[in-house]
Amino acid sequence: MTEHVVIVGAGTGGTVLANDLADRLEREIDAGDVEVTLYNDDPDHVYKPVWLYVPFGLREPEDGRRALSDLVDDRIDLRIDRITDLDSDAKELRTRDGAGTVRYDHLVLATGSTLAPETVPGLAEAGHDFYSEDGAEALREDLLAFEEGRVVLSVVGSPHMCPAAPLEFAFMVDDWFRKRGLRDDVEVVYTYPIQRVHGNPHIAEWAEPIMKERGIEVHTFVNAEEIDPDAETIETMEGDSIDYDLLVTIPPHAGVDLIAEAGLGDEGWVDVDSHTLEATAAEDVYALGDTADTGVPKAGSVAHYQAGVVAQRIASDVRGRPATATYDGKTLCFIETGMDEASFVEFDYETPPSPAPPSTALHWSKLSYNESYWLTARGLL
Ligand SMILES: Cc1cc2nc3c(=O)[nH]c(=O)nc-3n(C[C@H](O)[C@H](O)[C@H](O)COP(=O)(O)OP(=O)(O)OC[C@H]3O[C@@H](n4cnc5c(N)ncnc54)[C@H](O)[C@@H]3O)c2cc1C
């Protein structure tokens, strides 16, 4: 009988996994012993890191989109449809558009993050973001026209995708106004919900002195209770009020409803074993990337490394061998520290990050990686 592997979500994690399985299980798929189906609710694959550059007029949202049909191996049964229900006891899924029930033997949830600005009153009306295509384009309109006043970058929700991105935006916007001769007329303000500038203490310790040196005003322990779009203030749970002229936020995030409804984890993140990536509340279910609650950053590099582990584990299982591959927490990240320089960090569960000295070479490495990403997604790098 054909074993059915179903992957839900064709972002970074799901696409890399599907292409890896197509390669690894080529013989079994060609013989009809294994079928791999990949579901995504959008015909395009979206590469989100491009959005960081959109507000500065450097990239277009379309630069981060490619048709999944061009990226996914022909051996994969690609379905553009949304999974709406999951019954992990019966090992069944239901789709929005498809007829009937989909049975699986192995399920991988790679459904990513969603934005939840509605959880903070006033945020959706007042705050710009660069965490969505529309948000990044709207921010570009206002940022390009902004010549004086207070730009506030506020991290409202955590955990969020790419923990480095708010730091990158703050460093880039400072440098961007400086290079355009407007920095004396523009205040750059950064707020973070805990008592330091970043969730990781090593990265916070590195970033804070750079912010001070560049005159970026820092407010820590800022948790927005509501945003008042008329008064242009962030009202905080701590009882403070922070003025802005242009507000850029990292909105609160959540996973998809499907996961909480299936009892696999709170807020749409799947509870997993942080090494095997197996769901703790269901058999034969893996989660990877943003969806997997492992405590590591919600980053594409994480999704990529985890996809390799899950592919090896599923292939072993299909072949009746013990699954031994495990994820070690590996995370890799370039951090823009201005418009033309960047740092780099690499860490795992055991080794803390130690940011490299910023350089132009690292900035170009980040831009090169963004270009070569499309080969990575295809499984060619
Ligand atoms: C501005 C910005 C900059 C970033 N920069 C970096 C960076 O420099 N480096 C880095 O490593 N990471 C970066 N990231 C983070 C990175 O983009 C994410 O962590 C990564 O995309 C997560 O991959 P994923 O496969 O888990 O989810 P995603 O790539 O989000 O994919 C999830 C997919 O699942 C689909 N889906 C969801 N629910 C369903 C359903 N029920 N049925 C069918 N399909 C469904 C979605 O439509 C989507 O296609 C950045 C993110 C942002 C927003």
Side-chain angles (χ1 to χ4, degrees), residues 323-345:
T324 54
T326 52
Y327 174 61
D328 62 1
K330 188 168 177 186
T331 308
L332 180 153
C333 187
F334 291 99
I335 307 173
E336 297 282 24
T337 50
M339 296 308 288
D340 46 25
E341 58 163 39
S343 174
F344 173 79
V345 283

PDB file of all heavy atoms in Angstrom, residues 323-345:
ATOM      1  N   ALA A 323      14.573   6.223  13.144  1.00  0.00           N
ATOM      2  CA  ALA A 323      14.857   7.613  12.781  1.00  0.00           C
ATOM      3  C   ALA A 323      15.827   8.193  13.800  1.00  0.00           C
ATOM      4  O   ALA A 323      15.505   8.278  14.987  1.00  0.00           O
ATOM      5  CB  ALA A 323      13.558   8.405  12.763  1.00  0.00           C
ATOM      6  N   THR A 324      17.014   8.563  13.348  1.00  0.00           N
ATOM      7  CA  THR A 324      18.034   9.017  14.306  1.00  0.00           C
ATOM      8  C   THR A 324      18.395  10.499  14.158  1.00  0.00           C
ATOM      9  O   THR A 324      19.029  11.061  15.040  1.00  0.00           O
ATOM     10  CB  THR A 324      19.337   8.201  14.136  1.00  0.00           C
ATOM     11  OG1 THR A 324      19.725   8.286  12.771  1.00  0.00           O
ATOM     12  CG2 THR A 324      19.143   6.751  14.524  1.00  0.00           C
ATOM     13  N   ALA A 325      18.019  11.133  13.038  1.00  0.00           N
ATOM     14  CA  ALA A 325      18.410  12.544  12.840  1.00  0.00           C
ATOM     15  C   ALA A 325      17.717  13.422  13.876  1.00  0.00           C
ATOM     16  O   ALA A 325      16.537  13.223  14.184  1.00  0.00           O
ATOM     17  CB  ALA A 325      18.021  12.997  11.441  1.00  0.00           C
ATOM     18  N   THR A 326      18.456  14.376  14.422  1.00  0.00           N
ATOM     19  CA  THR A 326      17.858  15.299  15.393  1.00  0.00           C
ATOM     20  C   THR A 326      18.295  16.739  15.084  1.00  0.00           C
ATOM     21  O   THR A 326      19.343  16.967  14.474  1.00  0.00           O
ATOM     22  CB  THR A 326      18.279  14.970  16.845  1.00  0.00           C
ATOM     23  OG1 THR A 326      19.698  14.871  16.893  1.00  0.00           O
ATOM     24  CG2 THR A 326      17.648  13.695  17.346  1.00  0.00           C
ATOM     25  N   TYR A 327      17.491  17.680  15.535  1.00  0.00           N
ATOM     26  CA  TYR A 327      17.770  19.105  15.341  1.00  0.00           C
ATOM     27  C   TYR A 327      18.525  19.619  16.572  1.00  0.00           C
ATOM     28  O   TYR A 327      18.121  19.376  17.705  1.00  0.00           O
ATOM     29  CB  TYR A 327      16.441  19.856  15.156  1.00  0.00           C
ATOM     30  CG  TYR A 327      16.591  21.349  15.083  1.00  0.00           C
ATOM     31  CD1 TYR A 327      17.343  21.948  14.071  1.00  0.00           C
ATOM     32  CD2 TYR A 327      15.981  22.168  16.027  1.00  0.00           C
ATOM     33  CE1 TYR A 327      17.486  23.326  14.010  1.00  0.00           C
ATOM     34  CE2 TYR A 327      16.114  23.543  15.958  1.00  0.00           C
ATOM     35  CZ  TYR A 327      16.873  24.121  14.952  1.00  0.00           C
ATOM     36  OH  TYR A 327      17.014  25.484  14.897  1.00  0.00           O
ATOM     37  N   ASP A 328      19.627  20.348  16.309  1.00  0.00           N
ATOM     38  CA  ASP A 328      20.481  20.804  17.419  1.00  0.00           C
ATOM     39  C   ASP A 328      20.277  22.288  17.762  1.00  0.00           C
ATOM     40  O   ASP A 328      21.061  22.868  18.490  1.00  0.00           O
ATOM     41  CB  ASP A 328      21.960  20.546  17.075  1.00  0.00           C
ATOM     42  CG  ASP A 328      22.400  21.318  15.833  1.00  0.00           C
ATOM     43  OD1 ASP A 328      21.576  22.056  15.262  1.00  0.00           O
ATOM     44  OD2 ASP A 328      23.574  21.182  15.428  1.00  0.00           O
ATOM     45  N   GLY A 329      19.212  22.876  17.206  1.00  0.00           N
ATOM     46  CA  GLY A 329      18.937  24.289  17.508  1.00  0.00           C
ATOM     47  C   GLY A 329      19.663  25.248  16.582  1.00  0.00           C
ATOM     48  O   GLY A 329      19.658  26.465  16.815  1.00  0.00           O
ATOM     49  N   LYS A 330      20.270  24.726  15.520  1.00  0.00           N
ATOM     50  CA  LYS A 330      21.089  25.582  14.653  1.00  0.00           C
ATOM     51  C   LYS A 330      20.263  26.726  14.045  1.00  0.00           C
ATOM     52  O   LYS A 330      19.208  26.512  13.461  1.00  0.00           O
ATOM     53  CB  LYS A 330      21.735  24.752  13.541  1.00  0.00           C
ATOM     54  CG  LYS A 330      22.729  25.578  12.746  1.00  0.00           C
ATOM     55  CD  LYS A 330      23.578  24.705  11.857  1.00  0.00           C
ATOM     56  CE  LYS A 330      24.506  25.583  11.021  1.00  0.00           C
ATOM     57  NZ  LYS A 330      25.257  24.858  10.047  1.00  0.00           N
ATOM     58  N   THR A 331      20.808  27.926  14.198  1.00  0.00           N
ATOM     59  CA  THR A 331      20.175  29.147  13.687  1.00  0.00           C
ATOM     60  C   THR A 331      21.270  29.991  13.075  1.00  0.00           C
ATOM     61  O   THR A 331      22.360  30.118  13.663  1.00  0.00           O
ATOM     62  CB  THR A 331      19.525  29.948  14.846  1.00  0.00           C
ATOM     63  OG1 THR A 331      18.671  29.083  15.578  1.00  0.00           O
ATOM     64  CG2 THR A 331      18.747  31.148  14.336  1.00  0.00           C
ATOM     65  N   LEU A 332      20.975  30.560  11.933  1.00  0.00           N
ATOM     66  CA  LEU A 332      21.981  31.408  11.264  1.00  0.00           C
ATOM     67  C   LEU A 332      21.280  32.683  10.829  1.00  0.00           C
ATOM     68  O   LEU A 332      20.148  32.634  10.369  1.00  0.00           O
ATOM     69  CB  LEU A 332      22.468  30.607  10.065  1.00  0.00           C
ATOM     70  CG  LEU A 332      23.503  31.140   9.116  1.00  0.00           C
ATOM     71  CD1 LEU A 332      24.216  29.932   8.508  1.00  0.00           C
ATOM     72  CD2 LEU A 332      22.860  31.926   8.004  1.00  0.00           C
ATOM     73  N   CYS A 333      21.959  33.805  11.008  1.00  0.00           N
ATOM     74  CA  CYS A 333      21.274  35.053  10.704  1.00  0.00           C
ATOM     75  C   CYS A 333      22.254  36.168  10.365  1.00  0.00           C
ATOM     76  O   CYS A 333      23.208  36.394  11.106  1.00  0.00           O
ATOM     77  CB  CYS A 333      20.468  35.425  11.955  1.00  0.00           C
ATOM     78  SG  CYS A 333      19.406  36.796  11.728  1.00  0.00           S
ATOM     79  N   PHE A 334      22.024  36.829   9.243  1.00  0.00           N
ATOM     80  CA  PHE A 334      22.741  38.075   8.950  1.00  0.00           C
ATOM     81  C   PHE A 334      21.934  39.210   9.577  1.00  0.00           C
ATOM     82  O   PHE A 334      20.703  39.190   9.535  1.00  0.00           O
ATOM     83  CB  PHE A 334      22.824  38.318   7.439  1.00  0.00           C
ATOM     84  CG  PHE A 334      23.721  37.355   6.721  1.00  0.00           C
ATOM     85  CD1 PHE A 334      23.201  36.262   6.047  1.00  0.00           C
ATOM     86  CD2 PHE A 334      25.090  37.559   6.704  1.00  0.00           C
ATOM     87  CE1 PHE A 334      24.025  35.375   5.374  1.00  0.00           C
ATOM     88  CE2 PHE A 334      25.937  36.680   6.036  1.00  0.00           C
ATOM     89  CZ  PHE A 334      25.396  35.585   5.373  1.00  0.00           C
ATOM     90  N   ILE A 335      22.626  40.196  10.148  1.00  0.00           N
ATOM     91  CA  ILE A 335      21.914  41.330  10.766  1.00  0.00           C
ATOM     92  C   ILE A 335      22.411  42.612  10.113  1.00  0.00           C
ATOM     93  O   ILE A 335      23.575  43.004  10.326  1.00  0.00           O
ATOM     94  CB  ILE A 335      22.169  41.399  12.294  1.00  0.00           C
ATOM     95  CG1 ILE A 335      21.866  40.057  12.968  1.00  0.00           C
ATOM     96  CG2 ILE A 335      21.354  42.526  12.927  1.00  0.00           C
ATOM     97  CD1 ILE A 335      22.254  39.996  14.455  1.00  0.00           C
ATOM     98  N   GLU A 336      21.559  43.280   9.326  1.00  0.00           N
ATOM     99  CA  GLU A 336      21.944  44.564   8.738  1.00  0.00           C
ATOM    100  C   GLU A 336      22.194  45.553   9.882  1.00  0.00           C
ATOM    101  O   GLU A 336      21.359  45.682  10.783  1.00  0.00           O
ATOM    102  CB  GLU A 336      20.824  45.113   7.831  1.00  0.00           C
ATOM    103  CG  GLU A 336      20.491  44.252   6.633  1.00  0.00           C
ATOM    104  CD  GLU A 336      21.490  44.388   5.473  1.00  0.00           C
ATOM    105  OE1 GLU A 336      22.661  44.776   5.705  1.00  0.00           O
ATOM    106  OE2 GLU A 336      21.093  44.067   4.342  1.00  0.00           O
ATOM    107  N   THR A 337      23.349  46.244   9.843  1.00  0.00           N
ATOM    108  CA  THR A 337      23.631  47.232  10.897  1.00  0.00           C
ATOM    109  C   THR A 337      23.651  48.651  10.302  1.00  0.00           C
ATOM    110  O   THR A 337      24.092  49.586  10.937  1.00  0.00           O
ATOM    111  CB  THR A 337      24.982  46.929  11.578  1.00  0.00           C
ATOM    112  OG1 THR A 337      25.978  46.755  10.556  1.00  0.00           O
ATOM    113  CG2 THR A 337      24.901  45.684  12.434  1.00  0.00           C
ATOM    114  N   GLY A 338      23.182  48.761   9.082  1.00  0.00           N
ATOM    115  CA  GLY A 338      23.109  50.048   8.383  1.00  0.00           C
ATOM    116  C   GLY A 338      22.679  49.747   6.966  1.00  0.00           C
ATOM    117  O   GLY A 338      22.272  48.612   6.663  1.00  0.00           O
ATOM    118  N   MET A 339      22.783  50.746   6.073  1.00  0.00           N
ATOM    119  CA  MET A 339      22.354  50.508   4.691  1.00  0.00           C
ATOM    120  C   MET A 339      23.397  49.724   3.907  1.00  0.00           C
ATOM    121  O   MET A 339      23.084  49.149   2.869  1.00  0.00           O
ATOM    122  CB  MET A 339      22.051  51.844   3.980  1.00  0.00           C
ATOM    123  CG  MET A 339      20.898  52.615   4.589  1.00  0.00           C
ATOM    124  SD  MET A 339      19.378  51.664   4.799  1.00  0.00           S
ATOM    125  CE  MET A 339      18.802  51.492   3.121  1.00  0.00           C
ATOM    126  N   ASP A 340      24.654  49.717   4.361  1.00  0.00           N
ATOM    127  CA  ASP A 340      25.667  48.981   3.593  1.00  0.00           C
ATOM    128  C   ASP A 340      26.669  48.232   4.463  1.00  0.00           C
ATOM    129  O   ASP A 340      27.813  48.038   4.071  1.00  0.00           O
ATOM    130  CB  ASP A 340      26.369  49.906   2.584  1.00  0.00           C
ATOM    131  CG  ASP A 340      26.781  51.213   3.210  1.00  0.00           C
ATOM    132  OD1 ASP A 340      26.971  51.233   4.447  1.00  0.00           O
ATOM    133  OD2 ASP A 340      26.918  52.202   2.472  1.00  0.00           O
ATOM    134  N   GLU A 341      26.228  47.802   5.652  1.00  0.00           N
ATOM    135  CA  GLU A 341      27.064  46.903   6.444  1.00  0.00           C
ATOM    136  C   GLU A 341      26.161  45.990   7.281  1.00  0.00           C
ATOM    137  O   GLU A 341      25.009  46.324   7.558  1.00  0.00           O
ATOM    138  CB  GLU A 341      28.043  47.664   7.354  1.00  0.00           C
ATOM    139  CG  GLU A 341      27.364  48.607   8.311  1.00  0.00           C
ATOM    140  CD  GLU A 341      28.241  49.060   9.469  1.00  0.00           C
ATOM    141  OE1 GLU A 341      29.429  49.303   9.256  1.00  0.00           O
ATOM    142  OE2 GLU A 341      27.697  49.155  10.579  1.00  0.00           O
ATOM    143  N   ALA A 342      26.708  44.826   7.618  1.00  0.00           N
ATOM    144  CA  ALA A 342      25.908  43.844   8.369  1.00  0.00           C
ATOM    145  C   ALA A 342      26.813  43.030   9.281  1.00  0.00           C
ATOM    146  O   ALA A 342      28.029  42.971   9.097  1.00  0.00           O
ATOM    147  CB  ALA A 342      25.175  42.911   7.410  1.00  0.00           C
ATOM    148  N   SER A 343      26.166  42.408  10.283  1.00  0.00           N
ATOM    149  CA  SER A 343      26.846  41.454  11.154  1.00  0.00           C
ATOM    150  C   SER A 343      26.286  40.055  10.832  1.00  0.00           C
ATOM    151  O   SER A 343      25.439  39.915   9.951  1.00  0.00           O
ATOM    152  CB  SER A 343      26.614  41.827  12.619  1.00  0.00           C
ATOM    153  OG  SER A 343      27.148  40.840  13.471  1.00  0.00           O
ATOM    154  N   PHE A 344      26.728  39.063  11.568  1.00  0.00           N
ATOM    155  CA  PHE A 344      26.317  37.691  11.309  1.00  0.00           C
ATOM    156  C   PHE A 344      26.359  36.916  12.618  1.00  0.00           C
ATOM    157  O   PHE A 344      27.296  37.099  13.399  1.00  0.00           O
ATOM    158  CB  PHE A 344      27.311  37.073  10.298  1.00  0.00           C
ATOM    159  CG  PHE A 344      27.111  35.608  10.056  1.00  0.00           C
ATOM    160  CD1 PHE A 344      26.109  35.172   9.209  1.00  0.00           C
ATOM    161  CD2 PHE A 344      27.932  34.667  10.679  1.00  0.00           C
ATOM    162  CE1 PHE A 344      25.922  33.815   8.976  1.00  0.00           C
ATOM    163  CE2 PHE A 344      27.747  33.311  10.453  1.00  0.00           C
ATOM    164  CZ  PHE A 344      26.742  32.884   9.596  1.00  0.00           C
ATOM    165  N   VAL A 345      25.367  36.087  12.850  1.00  0.00           N
ATOM    166  CA  VAL A 345      25.410  35.200  14.030  1.00  0.00           C
ATOM    167  C   VAL A 345      25.032  33.783  13.632  1.00  0.00           C
ATOM    168  O   VAL A 345      24.225  33.574  12.725  1.00  0.00           O
ATOM    169  CB  VAL A 345      24.450  35.626  15.171  1.00  0.00           C
ATOM    170  CG1 VAL A 345      24.970  36.790  15.951  1.00  0.00           C
ATOM    171  CG2 VAL A 345      23.037  35.884  14.666  1.00  0.00           C
TER     172      VAL A 345
END
